[in-house]
Amino acid sequence: MEDVDDEIEGLEASLTEARRFLDEQLSSIDNVDGKAIQLFQVVTVLVGLLLSLLSFVYDGREAAAVGLLNPLTLAGVAFLMGAMAAAAITYSTGEYHAGVGVEDLRWIAEEGYADGEFRRGLHEDLLIGYADWIEANERANQRQGAFITTTILAIIYGVAFLAVGVVSVLLPNLWLPFAAVLGIVLAGITWLLEPIKGLRAIGRR
């Protein structure tokens, strides 16, 4: 009897640790969801400001507006739109498993376990369930991490291309050195964030 109690006590300790880890995963997913919404709102504001600026420039100055609508600025807008899409995907992929569901509770109440095996059987099944939920949440965390990184990079690239496009119109003699320096900075940021590695990890799962 004492051995059984010790075993159940060990199972309970394992369940407590598993619940703590699952709660941390859920908190991480919620945080990423919040960041995705904020980034989506930021990009929406940026695109709105760009449209307002172009409308202001176009009013009576068609040549200047056409000059600003060059391939570089259009690429910047495309990156920003891509960032909005990536942010939306980040939020939509934030599916998670929070623990015991309704069907599990009904099964326990209606069918349950054999007499004398209830606590042990319940604890063992819960541990298996926690392992599955943690694994599923880990995949969700990896997906969100890859897409939120892609969102951030798309915003950075979008702003960078817009800046180069504007400089090429206002300061045509300086835009190439400016673009070269900015390209080195972008390469460094991309290398640090490693978005391709995250996307490949998703593809392997």
Side-chain angles (χ1 to χ4, degrees):
M1 184 67 179
E2 185 176 347
D3 292 339
V4 173
D5 290 339
D6 290 341
E7 183 178 355
I8 291 178
E9 185 177 340
L11 291 171
E12 288 177 344
S14 300
L15 284 174
T16 300
E17 181 63 21
R19 180 71 250 182
R20 184 192 63 79
F21 189 80
L22 188 67
D23 288 340
E24 290 181 358
Q25 285 186 321
L26 297 177
S27 177
S28 175
I29 292 173
D30 287 340
N31 288 337
V32 175
D33 282 343
K35 291 176 181 177
I37 294 174
Q38 292 174 351
L39 289 174
F40 187 90
Q41 293 170 339
V42 168
V43 177
T44 302
V45 171
L46 281 175
V47 173
L49 289 174
L50 285 172
L51 293 176
S52 299
L53 179 62
L54 286 174
S55 176
F56 174 77
V57 173
Y58 185 81
D59 187 16
R61 286 173 283 184
E62 182 176 349
V66 171
L68 287 175
L69 288 175
N70 55 59
L72 290 169
T73 55
L74 291 176
V77 173
F79 271 114
L80 291 179
M81 298 303 293
M84 292 179 67
I89 293 173
T90 302
Y91 183 77
S92 64
T93 56
E95 299 177 356
Y96 57 84
H97 297 267
V100 180
V102 175
E103 295 301 322
D104 298 320
L105 294 175
R106 285 176 178 163
W107 184 86
I108 293 172
E110 294 173 2
E111 298 185 28
Y113 301 87
D115 292 340
E117 293 293 324
F118 182 86
R119 289 181 65 193
R120 179 177 177 177
L122 177 61
H123 283 55
E124 289 177 347
D125 285 351
L126 281 175
L127 273 179
I128 295 172
Y130 273 116
D132 293 338
W133 300 327
I134 288 172
E135 185 179 17
N137 288 343
E138 182 65 25
R139 290 195 296 268
N141 272 328
Q142 288 184 348
R143 286 194 301 269
Q144 282 195 308
F147 282 116
I148 200 71
T149 301
T150 302
T151 302
I152 294 171
L153 275 178
I155 293 174
I156 294 172
Y157 272 75
V159 173
F161 271 82
L162 286 170
V164 174
V166 172
V167 170
S168 69
V169 174
L170 300 180
L171 300 170
N173 294 328
L174 296 177
W175 82 272
L176 277 176
F178 179 74
V181 173
L182 207 53
I184 294 173
V185 173
L186 289 176
I189 293 174
T190 304
W191 180 77
L192 288 173
L193 293 180
E194 296 184 329
I196 303 300
K197 182 178 179 180
L199 293 173
R200 285 176 178 172
I202 294 175
R204 288 194 297 265
R205 286 182 172 268

